[in-house]
């Protein structure tokens, strides 16, 4: 298998590391832009034709295989225990993605624990079925993004929880904002979606969609049929769930227009199956809006969770996506919720107790990503006081960890061994790694403090922005730039490398983003005498890095940004 291919659909042989990824991305983006335009014009026949063309193109098949072999689940097999880990396997996989004769295998059922003690069922498709879902997702997402609710933020490209909570502030932050909130939660959303409704309304190949919905699952070597729902664990499932719930915001806006004299102040903000609806009175939400939501969901085979759905006044506050949204004396403050903080501290305690015999360096290296990730999630809200409280609680956990290791030692000895003084700070959990820096001084590793994370307000995405519409291209490029610069705050060297090449991978000429990840490549390989100076380094995608070494490509240093 050594035939070099581009992105035509008629090739009989493929060499994975010789695929022209730039051309693949360009062809897929061009077809997706045409799908968006046809959807906006209401030309549904044209949409179907373009979707068929895209799902049968070599470019889309190659990108689908690339996605499932590079994401976090790449080594998680389905019931066939198969994964695609070699270039030859990936090459064969591209050629195997065909509609004719395709029949998905049943899902492998696994269970993951939930915060309330229950277990959430997940269905793991085979690697081929995941690739087929990724392929058809390329055709479905442009339609879903064009027709979706403007204030839906879950499982959508370029949208996140921070956008949803920022919309909460916009909706509830003013003195004249609505005071009552319906906190909504859908009971078993993924498990109960009506197959009939999906097959009738989802803009996707009906034959392929039905084969996925009716594939069944295997639990303890027993095959169970699937009569409803779309499995949690499938790549395409979140988008299908979004399509099912899209339209509720439009129904509410039609029933309760904002420009009417009575001003009902009805607004909806949704993240996946969690949503809030605002109103100017408790009676409006309970007697009119809640029955309207129930009727909307019923036609889709869904119902509201009685135990999680309630009406709340803004001065009492409510939890949403890990934050508490509440007005204090007329001022809206969004803070990390008590439940979220408790879950985080429980995780820290569990890690610490599970590393009773680990070295201090090892414990710090395990804790730092957890603390940094949690603090980064909350840094756009009113969280400084919470950060300081969390740091103190973590210190208490670590002090107990240190005392347990040396029951016969005094407190002063324990403090001097594990907690150092750094500049004006005392009680810093810090240790030597055993390595030396270039100047000969010992290398140190320090526990991250949540309170060191600066508070930085998030710029919410525009509600009607569509990442598949070419007119929004510059807007999203600017947002990606800000996001990447923010992610490099703690590594200025990487930030400078990324800026020098304008965020573009020199191999495929696609943007290096947080989602794609990256690899720092030595232009002159270290095995050939290359060093770690910035002039010898370049950032590339992980797959492009493998391509460089497989084909022994020469990479030129990009010109710096002026």
């Amino acid at each position: 298998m050594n035939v070099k291919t581009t992105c035509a659909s008629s090739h009989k042989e493929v060499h994975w590391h010789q695929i022209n990824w730039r051309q693949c991305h360009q062809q897929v983006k061009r077809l997706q832009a045409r799908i968006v335009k046809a959807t906006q014009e209401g030309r549904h026949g044209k949409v179907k034709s373009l979707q068929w063309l895209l799902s049968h193109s070599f470019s889309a098949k190659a990108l689908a295989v690339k996605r499932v072999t590079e994401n976090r689940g790449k080594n998680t097999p389905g019931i066939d225990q198969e994964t695609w880990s070699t270039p030859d396997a990936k090459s064969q996989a591209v050629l195997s993605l065909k509609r004719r004769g395709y029949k998905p295998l049943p899902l492998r059922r696994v269970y993951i624990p939930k915060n309330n003690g229950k277990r959430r069922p997940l269905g793991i498709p085979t690697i081929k079925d995941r690739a087929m879902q990724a392929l058809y997702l390329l055709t479905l997402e442009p339609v879903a993004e064009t027709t979706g609710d403007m204030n839906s933020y879950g499982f959508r490209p370029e949208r996140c929880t921070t956008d949803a909570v920022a919309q909460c502030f916009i909706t509830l932050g003013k003195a004249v904002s609505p005071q009552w909130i319906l906190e909504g939660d859908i009971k078993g959303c993924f498990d109960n979606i009506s197959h009939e409704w999906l097959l009738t309304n989802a803009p996707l190949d009906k034959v392929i969609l039905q084969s996925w919905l009716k594939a069944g699952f295997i639990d303890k070597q027993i095959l169970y049929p699937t009569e409803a729902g779309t499995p949690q664990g499938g790549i395409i499932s979140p988008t299908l769930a979004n399509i099912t719930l899209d339209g509720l915001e439009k129904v509410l806006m039609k029933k309760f227009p904002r420009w009417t004299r009575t001003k009902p102040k009805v607004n909806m903000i949704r993240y996946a199956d969690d949503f809030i609806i605002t109103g100017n009175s408790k009676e409006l939400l309970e007697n009119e809006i809640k029955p309207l939501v129930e009727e909307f969901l019923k036609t889709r085979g869904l119902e509201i969770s009685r135990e999680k759905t309630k009406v709340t006044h803004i001065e009492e506050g409510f939890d949403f996506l890990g934050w508490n949204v509440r007005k204090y004396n007329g001022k809206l403050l969004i803070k990390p919720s008590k439940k979220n903080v408790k879950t985080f501290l429980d995780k820290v305690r569990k890690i610490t107790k599970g590393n009773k015999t680990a070295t201090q360096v090892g414990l710090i290296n395990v804790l730092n990503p957890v603390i940094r990730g949690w603090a980064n999630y909350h840094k756009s809200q009113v969280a400084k006081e919470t950060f300081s409280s969390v740091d103190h609680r973590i210190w208490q956990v670590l002090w107990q960890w240190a005392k347990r290791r040396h029951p016969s030692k005094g407190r002063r000895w324990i403090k001097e061994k594990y907690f150092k003084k750094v500049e004006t700070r005392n009680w810093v959990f810090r240790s030597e790694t055993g390595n030396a820096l270039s100047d000969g001084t010992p290398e140190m590793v320090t526990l991250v403090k949540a309170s060191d994370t600066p508070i930085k307000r998030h710029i919410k995405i525009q509600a009607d922005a569509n990442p598949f519409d070419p007119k929004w291209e510059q807007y999203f490029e600017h947002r990606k730039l800000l996001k990447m610069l923010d992610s490099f705050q703690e590594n200025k060297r990487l930030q400078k490398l990324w800026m020098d090449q304008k965020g573009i991978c020199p191999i495929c000429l696609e943007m290096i983003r947080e989602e794609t990840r990256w690899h720092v490549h030595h232009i002159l390989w270290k095995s050939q005498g290359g060093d770690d100076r910035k002039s010898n380094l370049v950032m590339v995608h992980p797959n492009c890095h493998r391509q460089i070494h497989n084909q022994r490509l020469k990479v030129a240093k990009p010109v710096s940004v002026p």
Side-chain angles (χ1 to χ4, degrees):
M1 295 179 65
N2 54 6
V3 178
K4 183 175 180 179
T5 69
T6 57
C7 291
S9 59
S10 59
H11 288 284
K12 301 301 182 184
E13 292 190 18
V14 179
H15 192 288
W16 182 254
H17 288 307
Q18 292 181 350
I19 294 176
N20 187 333
W21 293 110
R22 181 191 180 193
Q23 191 173 342
C24 288
H25 282 289
Q26 287 178 339
Q27 182 173 347
V28 169
K29 286 178 180 178
R30 180 175 59 83
L31 287 172
Q32 287 177 328
R34 292 177 64 190
I35 291 173
V36 169
K37 183 179 179 182
T39 304
Q40 292 169 340
E41 295 172 350
R43 302 170 63 190
H44 303 299
K46 184 69 172 177
V47 170
K48 288 185 178 180
S49 298
L50 291 170
Q51 287 181 318
W52 180 277
L53 183 62
L54 181 56
S55 64
H56 286 71
S57 71
F58 177 89
S59 302
K61 292 177 181 179
L63 291 179
V65 172
K66 185 173 184 287
R67 173 172 178 171
V68 300
T69 55
E70 291 185 359
N71 61 17
R72 291 182 180 180
K74 62 183 179 182
N75 295 321
T76 304
I79 62 169
D80 60 354
Q81 297 300 311
E82 183 180 353
T83 58
W84 298 332
S85 56
T86 66
D88 282 349
K90 296 173 187 178
S91 302
Q92 290 288 353
V94 174
L95 300 176
S96 72
L97 299 186
K98 297 178 180 179
R99 182 181 184 276
R100 178 177 295 179
Y102 169 67
K103 184 178 180 181
L105 294 176
L107 309 174
R108 180 168 66 89
R109 175 58 57 93
V110 297
Y111 297 90
I112 60 173
K114 299 170 66 174
N115 292 332
N116 59 8
K118 297 180 181 179
R119 297 192 304 167
R120 175 182 288 114
L122 291 182
I124 309 298
T126 65
I127 187 74
K128 180 176 180 179
D129 293 335
R130 296 203 294 270
M132 286 293 286
Q133 290 188 19
L135 173 62
Y136 280 87
L137 182 60
L138 290 172
T139 74
L140 180 62
E141 272 191 326
V143 183
E145 285 299 302
T146 306
T147 60
D149 288 342
M150 290 196 297
N151 287 304
S152 163
Y153 298 95
F155 303 115
R156 294 180 63 180
E158 308 303 333
R159 299 191 179 210
C160 61
T161 55
T162 319
D163 290 313
V165 79
Q167 183 63 29
C168 288
F169 186 85
I170 293 170
T171 304
L172 300 166
K174 302 181 181 65
V176 296
S177 297
Q179 301 294 303
W180 292 92
I181 300 97
L182 172 68
E183 302 175 58
D185 185 85
I186 301 171
K187 185 177 181 180
C189 179
F190 281 85
D191 297 328
N192 296 307
I193 296 174
S194 168
H195 285 180
E196 290 72 21
W197 190 94
L198 270 179
L199 290 169
T200 303
N201 296 276
L204 192 66
D205 188 308
K206 309 303 180 186
V207 174
I208 294 294
L209 178 57
Q210 184 172 24
S211 68
W212 288 332
L213 296 177
K214 302 299 184 182
F217 64 91
I218 291 181
D219 188 12
K220 297 179 181 178
Q221 298 183 340
I222 300 175
L223 176 63
Y224 295 89
T226 47
E227 302 299 333
T230 176
Q232 296 186 62
I235 288 177
I236 205 169
S237 295
T239 304
L240 291 175
N242 270 335
I243 288 173
T244 305
L245 299 176
D246 280 335
L248 179 55
E249 185 177 7
K250 298 181 182 69
V251 169
L252 291 170
M253 293 303 102
K254 184 178 180 180
K255 178 74 173 178
F256 304 99
R258 296 177 182 175
W259 55 83
T260 56
R261 183 172 297 179
T262 55
K263 292 186 179 179
K265 300 179 181 178
V266 175
N267 302 276
M268 179 178 176
I269 304 166
R270 179 170 66 84
Y271 188 92
D273 58 345
D274 291 328
F275 63 89
I276 65 166
I277 301 175
T278 65
N280 62 1
S281 70
K282 184 177 183 179
E283 293 73 21
L284 173 68
L285 292 173
E286 287 184 338
N287 301 331
E288 297 187 55
I289 291 179
K290 188 176 178 182
L292 183 64
V293 173
E294 289 175 337
E295 182 182 352
F296 177 89
L297 295 177
K298 186 177 180 180
T299 61
R300 291 153 172 79
L302 302 173
E303 60 179 330
I304 284 179
S305 171
R306 300 291 178 181
E307 59 184 24
K308 296 182 180 179
T309 301
K310 57 184 178 179
V311 177
T312 310
H313 194 273
I314 189 61
E315 291 184 356
E316 297 176 17
F318 63 94
D319 290 350
F320 188 55
L321 303 176
W323 289 288
N324 180 261
V325 185
R326 181 181 174 185
K327 270 190 176 179
Y328 299 82
N329 298 321
K331 184 177 182 180
L332 185 72
L333 297 181
I334 303 177
K335 305 178 180 181
S337 68
K338 291 181 181 179
K339 182 179 179 181
N340 182 272
V341 173
K342 181 181 182 301
T343 301
F344 167 67
L345 289 174
D346 286 346
K347 184 175 183 179
V348 171
R349 292 188 187 98
K350 184 177 180 181
I351 291 173
T352 306
K353 288 181 180 179
N355 286 273
K356 291 178 180 178
T357 59
T359 63
Q360 185 180 8
V361 172
L363 180 60
I364 291 173
N365 287 335
V366 174
L367 285 177
N368 272 352
V370 176
I371 298 171
R372 187 180 291 114
W374 180 83
N376 284 337
Y377 183 80
H378 292 290
K379 69 179 180 181
S380 61
Q381 309 306 324
V382 184
K384 206 65 179 178
E385 185 178 331
T386 305
F387 286 172
S388 297
S389 173
V390 162
D391 284 338
H392 177 67
R393 302 284 289 277
I394 293 175
W395 174 86
Q396 290 177 321
V397 172
L398 295 176
W399 178 247
Q400 293 298 323
W401 176 85
K403 285 201 305 180
R404 180 191 175 280
R405 293 167 70 89
H406 307 281
S408 61
K409 296 291 186 180
R411 295 186 176 186
R412 184 183 296 274
W413 185 92
I414 295 173
K415 189 264 181 188
E416 290 177 352
K417 178 172 177 61
Y418 293 103
F419 298 90
K420 314 297 182 183
K421 183 174 182 180
V422 181
E423 297 178 351
T424 59
R425 276 189 175 178
N426 209 344
W427 293 94
V428 177
F429 198 66
R430 196 179 196 205
S431 178
E432 295 182 5
T433 64
N435 300 322
L437 299 175
S438 56
D439 58 0
T441 58
E443 182 184 23
M444 307 292 290
V445 60
T446 305
L447 185 76
V448 170
K449 280 184 172 289
S451 55
D452 286 341
T453 303
I455 300 298
K456 185 176 181 181
R457 298 301 172 213
H458 175 73
I459 302 174
K460 192 189 86 70
I461 190 172
Q462 290 189 31
D464 56 343
N466 186 340
F468 299 100
D469 191 337
K471 75 176 184 180
W472 291 99
E473 186 171 354
Q474 289 187 340
Y475 172 78
F476 281 107
E477 283 183 357
H478 179 66
R479 286 185 65 85
K480 290 172 185 175
L481 170 66
L482 296 178
K483 186 177 180 180
M484 285 299 293
L485 293 179
D486 184 56
S487 68
F488 288 141
Q489 283 297 320
E490 298 176 10
N491 195 326
K492 299 299 182 182
R493 186 184 178 101
L494 276 180
Q495 186 183 80
K496 187 67 169 65
L497 273 178
W498 191 84
M499 288 294 293
D500 281 348
Q501 44 192 97
K502 301 181 181 180
I504 302 298
C505 172
I507 302 301
C508 66
L509 302 183
E510 288 294 313
M511 181 169 281
I512 298 171
R513 305 191 307 274
E514 196 171 16
E515 299 79 26
T516 65
R517 307 307 299 164
W518 58 84
H519 189 95
V520 178
H521 172 68
H522 292 77
I523 297 175
L524 179 61
W525 297 4
K526 297 192 77 172
S527 59
Q528 299 172 356
D531 53 30
D532 291 327
R533 286 182 295 182
K534 189 165 71 70
S535 59
N536 191 48
L537 302 177
V538 64
M539 292 178 71
V540 295
H541 292 119
N543 188 72
C544 295
H545 185 248
R546 291 189 288 269
Q547 196 171 23
I548 291 170
H549 283 270
N550 181 270
Q551 298 186 45
R552 306 189 73 84
L553 301 176
K554 297 294 182 181
V555 184
K557 182 70 177 177
V559 180
S560 298
V561 177

